[in-house]
């Protein structure tokens, strides 16, 4: 009798340990989703700021300048649902300036353009890492054991963004 | 970017030559030259021969067969406690693990540490049933890694198949300036000298494929000379080669980095007949940076590096007849050869350490956003925390 009770207690303890292990796995992923998004968000904001600076270049024609300014403001002020589309639109607009002749840039202007290239590289790394964290977290949460024991607690479901792979 | 304290973990024996070890050494040197503090933990056979002040030995490696080659790795309780000690004393901002998905130091460090962790995956392994089983067991470990780097598109695909996880592709870096001033070695130079570098005793390096192609090449190039370099017992290996073929093979021993530049500058063609298990082909990139034309087997990794034949000729894997044809064709066409060499040189430029290093730094930057530092996972368990508060 006591043996059975001991076995049951042991099994319960083991089960509890396993659940807490799973919960901490998920918690780490939620944390990463948040931090990677914060970082990506900051990078995207910096890109919008760079886009605004570029729109003031002397070599940029007024029509392109208008498009850039509009796209940059939209990206900055987009809410969470519009964000992905707005950022993709900004990427598209920034592609326009690559096709233009920028031979007449001053030194500080080419610094800004080099900054744009650097930030774009970082953004593409940031997107990979963020979407990876989101997908892993969502995969875990969809598993039976995570749903049954509500291991996600009150954490909101990580959002998927339809970022384009080829951002610039 | 502020100065970082970074711990790099090398899975393979530091004193055995290999692509991963060289990559880590050069990454460490590049990071140090950019003002970061580096410590490298690696298995070491002969601790008295260590020349790098930033290298920490984790003990002697043991050879185990893995992925068609012999991997010299270390694991077990002793190695595990050394890893913990290293992490505890290192006070790192970030850990960078290399090839962590095999039983090795990197795996141990990934389990023992907690905090910002970056991992680089070098190998491409075909999808295997046993690998899948192991893969599933490793999932919780793979999740701990903040950011993953794959050294090539094929390595990324391998990672995706095994763990369903996404990685950033950053190629291996090369010091392009390293070989720039290497002179050619007169006794090696001739119009029909072709070269091979690698552990020739390992079947997947494919020297046998090249040897089988020699009789065919001799028909149009009777003065062919095949230079073979690499670690191993060549005398023993050459016993299986018929005398009339062996006469056209010169074994030059194991090359130092300096010799390697001279080797590439001297030969007319570099041949890479590898039959599998390659994820990048750093040796090809090095040859390309010396403007040495290349003939390589059409493994996916080589195909990608040689841009489908634009920056180097490709032959059907394990097909000696096709290899012989491609070698003769390229030896005959001087203009093709220099066009291929120039395209190869330009492609190699994209692997320069300054380009690659700053890409790796931006991954570090991303992994560091949580603002936490590396700590021991065991210190964070709640019963240990209780003890620490006493």
């Amino acid at each position: 009798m006591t043996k059975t009770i001991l076995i049951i207690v042991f099994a319960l303890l083991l089960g509890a340990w396993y659940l807490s292990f799973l919960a901490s796995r998920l918690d780490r992923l939620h944390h990463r989703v948040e931090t990677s998004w914060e970082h990506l968000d900051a990078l995207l904001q910096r890109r919008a700021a760079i886009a605004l600076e570029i729109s003031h270049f002397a070599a940029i024609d007024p029509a392109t300048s208008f498009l850039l300014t509009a796209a940059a403001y939209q990206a900055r002020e987009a809410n969470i649902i519009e964000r992905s589309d707005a950022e993709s639109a900004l990427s598209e607009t920034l592609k326009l300036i690559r096709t233009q002749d920028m031979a007449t840039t001053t030194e500080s202007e080419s610094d800004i353009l080099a900054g744009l290239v650097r930030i774009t590289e970082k953004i593409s790394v940031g997107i990979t890492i963020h979407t990876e964290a989101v997908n892993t977290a969502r995969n875990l949460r969809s598993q039976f054991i995570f749903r049954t024991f509500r291991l996600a607690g009150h954490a909101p479901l990580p959002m998927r963004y339809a970022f384009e792979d080829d951002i610039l | 970017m502020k100065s970082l304290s970074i711990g790099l973990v090398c899975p393979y024996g530091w004193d055995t030559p290999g692509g991963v070890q060289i990559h880590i050494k050069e990454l460490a040197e590049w990071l140090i030259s950019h003002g970061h503090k580096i410590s490298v933990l690696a298995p070491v056979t002969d601790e008295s021969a260590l020349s790098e002040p930033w290298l920490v030995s984790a003990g002697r490696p043991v050879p185990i067969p893995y992925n068609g080659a012999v991997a010299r790795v270390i694991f077990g309780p002793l190695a595990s406690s050394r890893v913990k000690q290293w992490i505890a004393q290192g006070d790192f901002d970030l850990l960078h693990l290399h090839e962590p998905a095999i039983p090795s130091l990197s795996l141990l460090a990934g389990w023992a540490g907690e905090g910002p962790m970056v991992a680089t995956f070098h190998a491409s392994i075909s999808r295997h049933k046993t690998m899948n089983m192991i893969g599933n067991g490793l999932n919780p470990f793979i999740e701990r890694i903040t950011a993953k780097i794959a050294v090539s598109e094929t390595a990324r695909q391998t990672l995706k198949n095994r763990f369903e996880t996404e990685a950033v592709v950053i190629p291996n870096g090369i010091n392009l300036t390293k070989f720039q001033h290497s002179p050619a070695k007169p006794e090696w130079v001739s119009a029909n000298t072709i070269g091979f570098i690698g552990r020739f005793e390992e079947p997947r390096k494919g020297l046998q494929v090249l040897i089988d192609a020699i009789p065919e090449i001799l028909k149009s190039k009777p003065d062919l000379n095949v230079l073979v370099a690499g670690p191993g017992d060549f005398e023993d290996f050459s016993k299986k080669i018929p005398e009339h073929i062996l006469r056209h093979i010169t074994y030059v021993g194991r090359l130092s980095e300096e010799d390697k530049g001279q080797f590439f500058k001297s030969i007319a063609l570099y041949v890479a007949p590898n039959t599998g298990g390659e994820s990048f082909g750093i040796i090809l990139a090095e040859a390309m940076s010396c403007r040495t034309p290349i003939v390589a087997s059409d493994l996916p990794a080589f195909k990608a590096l040689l841009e489908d034949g634009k920056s180097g000729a490709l032959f059907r894997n394990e097909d000696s007849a096709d290899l012989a044809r491609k070698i003769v064709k390229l030896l005959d066409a001087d203009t093709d050869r220099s066009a291929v060499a120039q395209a190869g040189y330009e492609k190699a430029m994209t692997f320069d350490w300054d380009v690659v290093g700053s890409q790796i730094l931006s991954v570090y930057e991303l992994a560091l956003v949580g603002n936490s530092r590396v700590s021991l996972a065991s210190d964070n368990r709640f019963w240990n925390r209780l003890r620490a508060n006493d």
Side-chain angles (χ1 to χ4, degrees), chain B residues 137-150:
Chain B
L138 279 178
N139 267 340
F141 167 71
I142 296 294
E143 278 165 25
R144 298 165 66 93
I145 300 164
T146 328
K148 298 161 198 96
I149 298 172

Side-chain angles (χ1 to χ4, degrees), chain B residues 208-255:
Chain B
Q208 196 55 47
V209 181
L210 175 58
I211 290 172
D212 292 341
I214 290 177
E216 190 57 38
I217 307 170
L218 283 175
K219 283 181 190 162
S220 53
K221 305 281 168 202
D223 61 339
L224 176 80
N225 186 17
V226 181
L227 288 184
V228 174
D233 186 352
F234 191 75
E235 210 168 300
D236 188 48
F237 184 81
S238 64
K239 278 178 193 150
K240 291 171 284 177
I241 309 171
E243 176 54 30
H244 68 283
I245 291 175
L246 194 58
R247 244 187 302 145
H248 294 275
I249 301 176
T250 314
Y251 178 59
V252 297
R254 188 173 150 177
L255 297 180

Side-chain angles (χ1 to χ4, degrees), chain A residues 25 28 32 39 122 132, chain B residues 143 145 148 165-166 369:
Chain A
R25 257 173 84 184
R28 188 183 304 121
R32 187 175 312 150
H39 184 68
K122 284 182 185 171
E132 147 81 12
Chain B
E143 278 165 25
I145 300 164
K148 298 161 198 96
T165 181
E166 197 52 75
V369 284

Side-chain angles (χ1 to χ4, degrees), chain B residues 33-279:
Chain B
S33 73
H34 283 70
H36 301 288
K37 207 173 135 254
I38 304 298
S39 174
V40 176
L41 183 72
V44 175
T45 312
D46 181 9
E47 292 187 21
S48 60
L50 291 186
S51 54
E52 295 91 354
W54 34 260
L55 189 71
V56 177
S57 167
R60 287 174 69 89
V62 255
I64 59 161
Y66 188 79
N67 191 22
V70 175
R72 305 184 67 86
V73 294
I74 187 175
F75 44 89
L78 189 63
S80 176
S81 73
R82 290 223 188 165
V83 166
K84 284 184 183 157
Q85 202 184 2
W86 177 70
I87 293 175
Q89 288 173 353
D91 190 27
F92 298 118
D93 291 308
L94 178 129
L95 286 184
H96 187 168
L97 317 172
H98 288 263
E99 205 74 295
I102 67 167
S104 70
L105 268 189
S106 302
L107 184 69
L108 296 180
W111 273 121
E114 192 158 302
M117 278 193 267
V118 174
T120 297
F121 293 82
H122 294 261
S124 60
I125 309 165
S126 51
R127 206 184 164 106
H128 237 276
K129 264 207 180 114
T130 47
M131 281 299 167
N132 278 350
M133 254 165 60
I134 299 168
N136 287 337
L138 279 178
N139 267 340
F141 167 71
I142 296 294
E143 278 165 25
R144 298 165 66 93
I145 300 164
T146 328
K148 298 161 198 96
I149 298 172
V151 297
S152 67
E153 197 49 47
T154 46
R156 190 184 75 104
Q157 211 54 50
T158 304
L159 195 61
K160 219 171 170 171
N161 292 340
R162 270 182 82 184
F163 303 113
E164 288 168 12
T165 181
E166 197 52 75
V168 185
V169 176
I170 300 178
N172 278 326
I174 325 164
N175 281 328
L176 280 172
T177 45
K178 183 169 68 174
F179 299 134
Q180 224 150 47
H181 301 292
S182 302
K185 216 170 179 172
E187 66 260 37
W188 290 348
V189 181
S190 90
N192 295 322
T193 300
I194 63 179
F196 169 95
I197 300 180
R199 277 161 284 182
F200 47 82
E201 286 160 321
E202 282 175 24
R204 72 184 182 104
K205 300 290 179 189
L207 182 57
Q208 196 55 47
V209 181
L210 175 58
I211 290 172
D212 292 341
I214 290 177
E216 190 57 38
I217 307 170
L218 283 175
K219 283 181 190 162
S220 53
K221 305 281 168 202
D223 61 339
L224 176 80
N225 186 17
V226 181
L227 288 184
V228 174
D233 186 352
F234 191 75
E235 210 168 300
D236 188 48
F237 184 81
S238 64
K239 278 178 193 150
K240 291 171 284 177
I241 309 171
E243 176 54 30
H244 68 283
I245 291 175
L246 194 58
R247 244 187 302 145
H248 294 275
I249 301 176
T250 314
Y251 178 59
V252 297
R254 188 173 150 177
L255 297 180
S256 68
E257 284 296 291
E258 238 167 278
D259 295 338
K260 218 163 152 191
Q262 298 189 344
F263 187 90
F264 288 134
K265 292 280 171 76
S266 308
I267 58 181
L269 264 188
Y270 181 77
V271 183
N274 303 43
T275 58
E278 293 294 318
S279 69

Side-chain angles (χ1 to χ4, degrees), chain A residues 140-152:
Chain A
L140 276 193
R141 284 178 70 144
S142 69
Q143 283 175 17
F144 176 73
I145 191 161
F146 285 85
R147 276 182 291 135
T148 323
F149 291 96
R150 297 173 177 275
L151 293 181

Side-chain angles (χ1 to χ4, degrees), chain A residues 17 21 25-26 28-29 31-32 35-36 38-40 43 46 121-122 124-132 136 139-140, chain B residues 111 114 139-140 142-148 164-168 170 355 358-359 362-363 365-367 369-370 372 383:
Chain A
W17 172 83
F21 166 73
R25 257 173 84 184
L26 191 58
R28 188 183 304 121
L29 284 169
H31 181 68
R32 187 175 312 150
T35 50
S36 64
E38 266 166 39
H39 184 68
L40 184 56
L43 287 173
R46 261 161 71 194
E121 235 169 55
K122 284 182 185 171
S124 78
V125 173
I127 287 176
T128 312
I129 290 172
H130 179 67
T131 45
E132 147 81 12
T136 320
N139 275 347
L140 276 193
Chain B
W111 273 121
E114 192 158 302
N139 267 340
I142 296 294
E143 278 165 25
R144 298 165 66 93
I145 300 164
T146 328
K148 298 161 198 96
E164 288 168 12
T165 181
E166 197 52 75
V168 185
I170 300 178
V355 177
S358 63
Q359 283 172 333
S362 61
V363 174
E365 201 181 313
L366 242 146
V369 284
S372 55
W383 55 86

Side-chain angles (χ1 to χ4, degrees), chain A residues 3-152:
Chain A
K3 209 175 163 190
T4 339
I5 291 175
L6 269 178
I7 289 174
I8 291 173
V9 167
F10 183 71
L12 280 177
L13 277 175
L14 200 69
W17 172 83
Y18 185 60
L19 286 180
S20 88
F21 166 73
L22 290 182
S24 70
R25 257 173 84 184
L26 191 58
D27 181 55
R28 188 183 304 121
L29 284 169
H30 278 136
H31 181 68
R32 187 175 312 150
V33 168
E34 270 170 40
T35 50
S36 64
W37 169 249
E38 266 166 39
H39 184 68
L40 184 56
D41 183 45
L43 287 173
L44 290 168
Q45 294 284 358
R46 261 161 71 194
R47 184 174 72 146
I50 291 177
L52 277 181
E53 281 187 67
I54 292 175
S55 71
H56 296 128
F57 282 11
I60 298 255
D61 69 278
T64 317
S65 169
F66 176 78
L67 277 176
L68 259 183
T69 317
Y73 273 116
Q74 258 163 16
R76 282 178 114 171
E77 281 154 27
N79 64 30
I80 201 152
I81 298 156
E82 304 159 344
R83 187 65 184 272
S84 182
D85 286 340
E87 294 296 347
S88 297
L90 179 56
S91 303
E92 283 300 314
T93 320
L94 282 168
K95 272 182 199 160
L96 283 178
I97 60 157
R98 273 207 304 191
T99 56
Q100 293 191 353
D101 183 21
M102 299 287 268
T104 50
T105 49
T106 62
E107 201 172 302
S108 67
E109 285 180 347
S110 28
D111 276 355
I112 292 172
L113 286 178
L116 177 66
V117 172
R118 272 199 304 278
I119 204 120
T120 309
E121 235 169 55
K122 284 182 185 171
I123 287 173
S124 78
V125 173
I127 287 176
T128 312
I129 290 172
H130 179 67
T131 45
E132 147 81 12
V134 170
N135 286 338
T136 320
R138 287 178 73 120
N139 275 347
L140 276 193
R141 284 178 70 144
S142 69
Q143 283 175 17
F144 176 73
I145 191 161
F146 285 85
R147 276 182 291 135
T148 323
F149 291 96
R150 297 173 177 275
L151 293 181

